[in-house]
Amino acid sequence: MHFIVGRLSSGASSTQAFDAEGTAVGERMQHADDAALATFARLESAADPAARWVWDDTARWYPRLLRHGVRVARCHDLRLAHAILRLSTLTRGSALSKAPRSAWDAAPAIERPPATHTALFDVELDAGTGDDVAAPTDAVDETLAEWRRQLETVRGSAASGRLRLLLAAESAGALIAVEMRAAGLPWSIERHDEVLTEALGPRPAAGARPARMHELVLAIRSAVDDEQLNPDSPQELLRALRRSGINAASTSQWELREIKHPVIGPLLEYKKLARLLSANGWTWMEAWIVDGRFRPDYVPGGAATGRWATNGGGALQLPRQVRSAVRADPGWKLVVADAAQLEPRILAALSADTAMAAAGRGVDLYAGIQATGVVETRAHAKVAMLGAMYGATTGESGRLMPRLTRAYPRAIALVEEAARAGERGESVTSWLGRSSPLPPAAWFDVQSQASAADASEADERRARSSAREWGRFTRNFVVQSTAAEWALCWMAELRTALLAMPDQPGSTSGQGPASSGPLAGTVFAGRPHQVFFLHDEIVVHTPAALADAVAEQVRLAAEAAGRLLFGSFPVDFPLGAAIVDDYAEAK
């Protein structure tokens, strides 16, 4: 299968679909042909600002372009778009949604490597009638056919405008993911080693426990009177706890915290340090930090909700202990921004609940809910709201739900309706058009068995339990997936703004001038660029001279993302932002 189609250019007066020169480039690019790369660079630099490249998989093609100094402004990722269009309820009944599985449904490819600011989403995804498409060669026939299938599917959908925005944002996210890996998250191995040594003691010999963990093992063994206990074995640990009179059902830290016994303190501390050692210890540092950079493989759309995942490295789970090792290069700064109470604000906009949106206007949303008298404390507001979005029906959350329902009926009705749909085994859909998968076949088997004439009470209980569980998934899906869409638009708008900012030739990167640092010779030298993303948080690495301007662009991008999704609906998306030298300073 050949991958790159060519360049789609959409102009104000006419639409020129696939440039013949771009198509030929695509065929040669399979071998990273120098002439093809030069043509890519020339076409990109001379491009209509609304133009975009169309290819099968950004993760396959874009890394090699970046290594050769070509930074793409826009693209359409056919594989990511195919996944959305196949499942979306907005495209139900389309030929694409009913087609047999094919190579377009395969997992993403991951390649591991040895101008004027314009609005990102100002041009609709459209290639005209196809009459102006250059005659394709055999090498690009299938890719061109998939592109046409997607165009037809979007045109015939129930909400083509929203889907176009979603596909544009998803494709922009794919570019950002590749760029973040290429640039890398700046990382100080010296500081990382200090953090590990402070917490664990000096690095031990291979196979041995660090000194602090060894001390804790001795304390744990003494507390349960078992000199041979291995606390890393859940089975051994559980037996030892029970012999000591602790009737624990598991060794989960959440359960252990509720128990009063001399072993609990050292055991919880040991578990904490063991996680640090295994997830981000010296072995992890040697494997993942190269030339002062952490470069994980980001997987856009890796979760069903559209949230990102990573393929190794645990980038989306960096513990607080090691965040001080994320350090800007000399002469640079980190701009760290996160959206406050993103999911409940998304829920207010999704449901058009003006009362809930008003509670968070210009203030902390949970504090705003408290101020209206719905609940007594901010903590109560947070517990109640999270319970509404995640389906908690017992305890404090369950007690407070009736108050929340009376105060914000539209918001609560939306998640309740999503939950009921899931309990019936139906899909639910985000604001822009990403839909949840249907339950697996085994789920439907359980429901069918409960409806059979010979069904037992146990069958009925199992069916109700599995229905409620899937309902909790769909309840949160509509909110979390739409929040992921907002975040994609936020990142994409910010990327466009950063590309338009002037570079700083005098900025240092590493030791010495810009020409000798980690970013030397790359498209990121002297330029602000995104280096980390976690659901509702962005980190930008920027020359210090541009830090204030970057922080302002981060804020403006958040405002733009809200308008792109929800128009003039009066909901705020306030940011917490900090300009720091290391990531830990922002928290």
Side-chain angles (χ1 to χ4, degrees), residues 116-127:
T116 301
H117 174 55
T118 58
L120 183 64
F121 304 114
D122 55 358
V123 177
E124 290 193 346
L125 189 83
D126 199 348

Side-chain angles (χ1 to χ4, degrees), residues 36 143 173 204 223 321 346 367 388 425 493 535 545 555 585:
T143 307
Q321 297 106 303
I346 288 290
E493 286 290 328
H535 307 321
R555 185 188 65 78
E585 293 176 5

Side-chain angles (χ1 to χ4, degrees), residues 26 57 129 142 177 401 403 546:
D57 197 329
T129 63
E142 173 50 31
M401 271 298 293
R403 301 189 193 181
L546 296 176

Side-chain angles (χ1 to χ4, degrees), residues 64 128 179 189 210 233 255 258 279 336 420 432 474 490 498 555 568:
R64 69 189 71 182
E179 290 174 352
I189 58 173
S233 168
E255 183 173 356
E258 304 301 318
V336 182
R420 300 295 85 77
L432 294 184
T474 53
W490 180 30
L498 296 182
R555 185 188 65 78
S568 60

Side-chain angles (χ1 to χ4, degrees), residues 477-491:
F477 181 96
V478 291
V479 178
Q480 190 179 109
S481 188
T482 305
E485 292 166 354
W486 179 91
L488 280 172
C489 291
W490 180 30
M491 285 199 298

